């Protein structure tokens, strides 16, 4: 059993929402069996949130499933230096190596 954790970052000032139709895609080689996916801790359902082929190993999120909050920008009051804290979402995919 293996687990892949993908951290999706947004350094922009605008959140990525469902209407942006962002898609996540990866090819697992070798293909995984008994795959499960969680996005930001919520269990995803195949055919509703993603498609996966155990034959090819291709995982693709469906349109409108990937959302990522906007980054936040903070200015140090002492130095005036700006720093960025990216918005983060996490996709965790677990499966068996066949």
């Amino acid at each position: 059993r293996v687990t892949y954790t993908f951290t999706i970052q947004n350094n922009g000032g605008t959140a990525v929402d469902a209407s942006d139709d962002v898609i996540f895609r990866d090819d697992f080689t070798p293909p995984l069996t008994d795959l499960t996916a969680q996005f930001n801790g919520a269990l995803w359902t195949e055919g509703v949130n993603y498609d996966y082929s155990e034959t090819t190993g291709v995982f693709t999120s469906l349109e409108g499933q990937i959302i990522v909050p906007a980054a936040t920008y903070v200015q140090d009051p002492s130095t005036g230096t700006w720093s960025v804290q990216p918005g983060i979402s996490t996709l965790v995919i677990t499966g068996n190596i066949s």
Side-chain angles (χ1 to χ4, degrees), residues 4-85:
Y4 296 90
T5 302
F6 299 93
T7 302
I8 305 165
Q9 294 187 22
N10 178 2
N11 288 314
T14 303
V16 173
D17 62 27
S19 68
D20 292 315
D21 290 332
V22 170
I23 294 174
F24 174 90
R25 183 179 186 277
D26 203 353
D27 298 339
F28 293 100
T29 306
L32 303 175
T33 58
D34 194 28
L35 184 135
T36 61
Q38 290 185 27
F39 186 75
N40 290 335
L43 188 62
W44 270 7
T45 302
E46 187 170 7
V48 175
N49 307 107
Y50 70 93
D51 286 326
Y52 180 68
S53 169
E54 286 189 359
T55 304
T56 64
V58 175
F59 177 97
T60 307
S61 68
L62 299 180
E63 290 183 351
Q65 301 303 306
I66 300 292
I67 55 171
V68 189
T72 55
Y73 301 90
V74 179
Q75 187 176 28
D76 184 305
S78 302
T79 65
T81 303
W82 285 90
S83 63
V84 61
Q85 296 295 322

